Amino acid sequence: MRIGTFNSYYSRQTNNIKAYNSAPSFTAMKKSQFDGADYAAVEKYKAPIEKFNTNDDLQLWAGDKYNIICEQDYSGRNIDTLFQRRQSINKWSDSLDKGGYSPIEKLIVMKDMTKNLKKSDATNLPVFNKEVLDKTLSDLKQSFKEDKKAQFDFSKKYKANLTEFYLKGSEFNENESKWIVIPSKAHDRENFDANVKKLQNLSNTSWCTKGDKAEYHLAMGDFHIYMDHGNPKIGLRFEDNRVAEFQDKNNNGRINPKDFDTLKTYLADNKFKMKSDAVVSYYASERAIEKTKQIKKDLALPIKHNDAKSIYNYFGIGVRYDKDGGMILSNYKMPEGVNYSDFGADENKLFQNVVKIEGDADFTRSELTDTHNLKEIKGDTTFFLSKIKDLPNLEKIGGTATFAESRLESTGALKDVGSLDMKNSRIKDLGVLGNVDENFTNAPFLESLKGLKSIGGNANFNPGFNSLKDFGALEYIGGNANLSHVKADSLGNLAAIEGDANFENSNIKTLGNLEYIGGDADFSGAAIDDTGALEEVGGRIIAPKYSIDDNLHYKLSQISSQYGEF
């Protein structure tokens, strides 16, 4: 991995660094002295050339910027996205470093390739192809040679060249619509690696085959992609010569109504057989289309007048109003098989006046961008795969709040929740959250518990990947506490753990104010050197002498002799 390293050019030139960040010199360079990729970078990234004496200064400046780009945090929709992006960036940077490219060329490539890595999705870098990269760099240089003011989107051009490269020989024109067949390992073993890269390149950004799953799925069967003017619209995945799955850009097991006839015709013309899961998805898509047509007829006037009550009632959601006219819903969920936008309703406008939900709220597939004026949800709530990015007024969730695979990075205005499930979420900030009534499952990107004082049930701070550095104001855990692998070196204000406590291989060095552990305490491989205020362990103390410091072993043995088994 290249995290924390500098590129070879930069390292070799360290002793020759000019003071390009100081005042302008008498030999300051001008744009006219640069050409090709150098000029493109000067023009596009506004390099401080007035502080450069030679082209070497530009290269050093570019090398510095390039390293910063490669080392940034590119977290996405879930933890898998982070790993896949890091793997892809490492592949690109290693190939660039070993490929003889100048720092300027590397900066142009990586800056443009990473610009679309949004935190709200799972988009990744395209596959690396040296032949295509060299062609794109050549295109860029030629473009600026012909026109000094040329507008050149390197990422867009690279992807277009990559598509052209992998469609070579398939008689496909990007201005037409056509099915592309990528053969499986069994059907084209000799070109399997090349076909995997082809599948990765032609896949929609929402499909898992855009990343590291391409090899696995292509080993199982062929892949058919419907390309419409260069854009992948439908993907068919085969197993045992039968359709195992199909997806469109939404990757939800349904096909967009506009594209369904294309799929239906293709399946019929080729007499493809489908596996059971694909059959279920196919007929669900077909039913959704018919259902949408009926809904449009039934709700024509309510949709036209944005009559939220009539629309909610139609889908079995009860509506009443508080004394201020705020809307109170019995529950909340998407209409079965369809979204509000499918039949012409604006979900955000419908939801704008909702202040309370008395039952469960399921925002899966929801197109809400935030929860608007909503203040309380009494039941369980899931934000799984919703577009919600903010909880501006939501203060309480009575049941379990599930943030897995959501776009939320903060718990916003939430002060109190029943249980908190943030496994595989991108939440970094607990906002003003002060109390979790029952269980807490930590988010992989959460660094501090901030003002959270109490967790009524179990606290799991080790979901497989952990960033927790600070226990904030936390004082009490009412159940078991899994503290293994956390990055924090202190428990802060934590005074009591009612259940078992697992410190195995944690980085915690002192127990600080912790006085009581009600169940077993496992210190195997722990970094702890100070037992702090710990007075009582209700269950066993697990601390093999070979795995901990002698001093810790002695202190724990004193506690164990009175309160537990050692």
Side-chain angles (χ1 to χ4, degrees):
M1 293 183 63
R2 63 164 288 106
I3 296 178
T5 66
F6 290 94
N7 66 67
S8 57
Y9 184 94
Y10 191 91
S11 299
R12 291 196 305 270
Q13 298 296 324
T14 300
N15 295 329
N16 298 321
I17 294 177
K18 309 294 183 183
Y20 62 78
N21 56 352
S22 62
S25 72
F26 290 109
T27 57
M29 302 187 75
K30 300 177 181 179
K31 284 185 181 180
S32 59
Q33 293 175 262
F34 301 97
D35 58 20
D38 293 349
Y39 183 87
V42 168
E43 181 70 20
K44 191 169 185 177
Y45 307 133
K46 309 303 179 188
I49 59 174
E50 72 279 1
K51 300 175 182 179
F52 298 164
N53 293 319
T54 69
N55 188 276
D56 281 349
D57 293 327
L58 174 66
Q59 301 298 328
L60 290 166
W61 172 85
D64 198 7
K65 298 297 181 184
Y66 165 70
N67 280 296
I68 291 172
I69 290 170
C70 291
E71 295 161 15
Q72 284 180 358
D73 172 20
Y74 292 102
S75 57
R77 191 175 67 193
N78 54 41
I79 192 61
D80 289 338
T81 303
L82 174 64
F83 291 142
Q84 288 167 6
R85 286 178 175 176
R86 175 47 55 196
Q87 186 179 41
S88 183
I89 287 170
N90 288 341
K91 167 66 176 175
W92 269 87
S93 58
D94 287 345
S95 299
L96 288 170
D97 290 344
K98 296 173 183 176
Y101 299 99
S102 73
I104 277 290
E105 291 172 330
K106 293 192 287 187
L107 173 63
I108 289 173
V109 172
M110 289 305 287
K111 190 169 182 65
D112 267 30
M113 288 299 176
T114 57
K115 69 182 180 181
N116 293 320
L117 301 185
K118 299 176 182 178
K119 293 182 178 180
S120 59
D121 59 32
T123 302
N124 204 347
L125 276 68
V127 294
F128 178 85
N129 184 301
K130 191 175 190 316
E131 182 179 335
V132 174
L133 177 61
D134 290 344
K135 181 184 185 308
T136 310
L137 283 169
S138 177
D139 290 344
L140 177 142
K141 293 171 185 176
Q142 183 61 34
S143 181
F144 277 91
K145 184 177 180 180
E146 295 172 357
D147 179 7
K148 288 282 189 180
K149 298 292 183 179
Q151 297 296 314
F152 195 95
D153 187 323
F154 191 89
S155 176
K156 184 177 181 180
K157 184 64 176 175
Y158 177 84
K159 290 174 183 176
N161 287 341
L162 196 63
T163 299
E164 183 181 336
F165 176 88
Y166 284 116
L167 290 176
K168 198 181 300 180
S170 61
E171 299 180 357
F172 177 79
N173 186 315
E174 66 175 16
N175 294 317
E176 66 179 353
S177 299
K178 185 177 180 179
W179 284 92
I180 301 296
V181 178
I182 304 174
S184 66
K185 191 171 189 176
H187 293 158
D188 188 8
R189 187 175 298 274
E190 184 178 344
N191 298 303
F192 180 66
D193 290 342
N195 286 330
V196 167
K197 291 181 179 179
K198 183 175 182 178
L199 175 56
Q200 288 175 321
N201 177 62
L202 297 183
S203 291
N204 193 287
T205 55
S206 66
W207 301 345
C208 65
T209 48
K210 192 70 176 178
D212 59 358
K213 293 292 191 294
E215 182 174 356
Y216 171 79
H217 285 307
L218 202 57
M220 302 284 285
D222 295 344
F223 215 97
H224 296 209
I225 300 177
Y226 180 67
M227 301 291 293
D228 182 23
H229 294 81
N231 297 311
K233 287 292 188 73
I234 306 173
L236 295 185
R237 181 174 65 81
F238 283 73
E239 289 180 10
D240 304 322
N241 295 319
R242 291 188 294 168
V243 178
E245 178 186 9
F246 53 77
Q247 295 288 3
D248 66 6
K249 66 177 182 178
N250 293 316
N251 199 10
N252 60 8
R254 290 194 296 128
I255 295 297
N256 188 302
K258 295 179 182 178
D259 298 318
F260 187 77
D261 284 343
T262 299
L263 172 67
K264 187 175 183 178
T265 300
Y266 189 62
L267 293 174
D269 288 350
N270 291 278
K271 298 181 180 179
F272 289 134
K273 294 182 179 180
M274 292 186 285
K275 301 190 81 169
S276 58
D277 286 349
V279 171
V280 170
S281 294
Y282 179 87
Y283 286 110
S285 297
E286 193 170 54
R287 285 194 302 273
I289 293 171
E290 293 304 315
K291 184 176 182 178
T292 298
K293 292 177 181 177
Q294 187 61 48
I295 292 172
K296 284 182 177 180
K297 290 181 181 178
D298 295 344
L299 295 178
L301 285 176
I303 291 170
K304 181 180 179 180
H305 296 286
N306 195 47
D307 181 355
K309 182 177 181 180
S310 295
I311 294 173
Y312 285 142
N313 285 166
Y314 181 88
F315 294 111
I317 298 175
V319 178
R320 63 186 181 88
Y321 297 89
D322 65 14
K323 59 183 178 62
D324 298 316
M327 188 177 289
I328 300 173
L329 304 182
S330 60
N331 59 82
Y332 193 80
K333 61 181 179 180
M334 296 300 99
E336 185 179 355
V338 297
N339 279 2
Y340 287 99
S341 61
D342 290 339
F343 51 85
D346 187 326
E347 188 182 356
N348 279 284
K349 285 184 179 180
L350 294 175
F351 198 83
Q352 221 158 21
N353 195 35
V354 176
V355 295
K356 186 176 182 180
I357 297 174
E358 294 187 313
D360 296 339
D362 185 352
F363 295 103
T364 303
R365 295 189 290 106
S366 171
E367 295 179 332
L368 291 174
T369 53
D370 64 56
T371 50
H372 298 288
N373 295 302
L374 181 66
K375 292 182 179 179
E376 180 182 359
I377 301 172
K378 284 191 173 182
D380 294 336
T381 305
T382 178
F383 297 96
F384 181 73
L385 292 181
S386 77
K387 294 183 178 180
I388 295 172
K389 295 181 180 179
D390 189 20
L391 309 175
N393 297 294
L394 184 59
E395 296 181 356
K396 183 174 182 179
I397 295 176
T400 298
T402 301
F403 292 92
E405 306 284 350
S406 77
R407 297 190 182 189
L408 287 156
E409 294 186 14
S410 170
T411 52
L414 270 177
K415 295 178 181 178
D416 187 29
V417 299
S419 290
L420 201 59
D421 181 358
M422 297 194 293
K423 186 177 180 181
N424 290 333
S425 83
R426 296 192 292 105
I427 289 180
K428 296 181 179 179
D429 189 343
L430 290 182
V432 294
L433 187 65
N435 183 60
V436 176
D437 297 333
E438 297 182 22
N439 300 325
F440 180 107
T441 299
N442 182 39
F445 297 113
L446 187 66
E447 294 187 354
S448 173
L449 299 184
K450 294 187 71 173
L452 183 65
K453 287 190 174 183
S454 173
I455 298 173
N458 299 327
N460 181 12
F461 297 107
N462 177 32
F465 177 87
N466 196 287
S467 299
L468 192 65
K469 298 177 183 177
D470 178 14
F471 281 84
L474 188 65
E475 297 175 357
Y476 177 80
I477 296 175
N480 300 327
N482 186 351
L483 305 164
S484 65
H485 299 285
V486 297
K487 294 183 178 179
D489 58 11
S490 168
L491 294 177
N493 298 317
L494 185 61
I497 298 173
E498 296 287 353
D500 297 337
N502 180 13
F503 296 95
E504 186 178 6
N505 297 321
S506 76
N507 292 314
I508 296 169
K509 294 180 180 178
T510 176
L511 299 183
N513 296 320
L514 185 65
E515 298 178 2
Y516 174 75
I517 297 174
D520 295 343
D522 188 348
F523 294 94
S524 304
I528 296 170
D529 55 21
D530 179 10
T531 54
L534 187 63
E535 295 180 356
E536 181 176 354
V537 177
R540 298 173 303 148
I541 291 180
I542 303 169
K545 191 170 183 179
Y546 65 83
S547 72
I548 62 173
D549 178 82
D550 287 343
N551 186 48
L552 175 62
H553 188 272
Y554 173 75
K555 290 181 178 181
L556 290 174
S557 68
Q558 299 305 301
I559 297 171
S560 176
S561 64
Q562 188 172 355
Y563 297 105
E565 301 174 16
F566 191 70

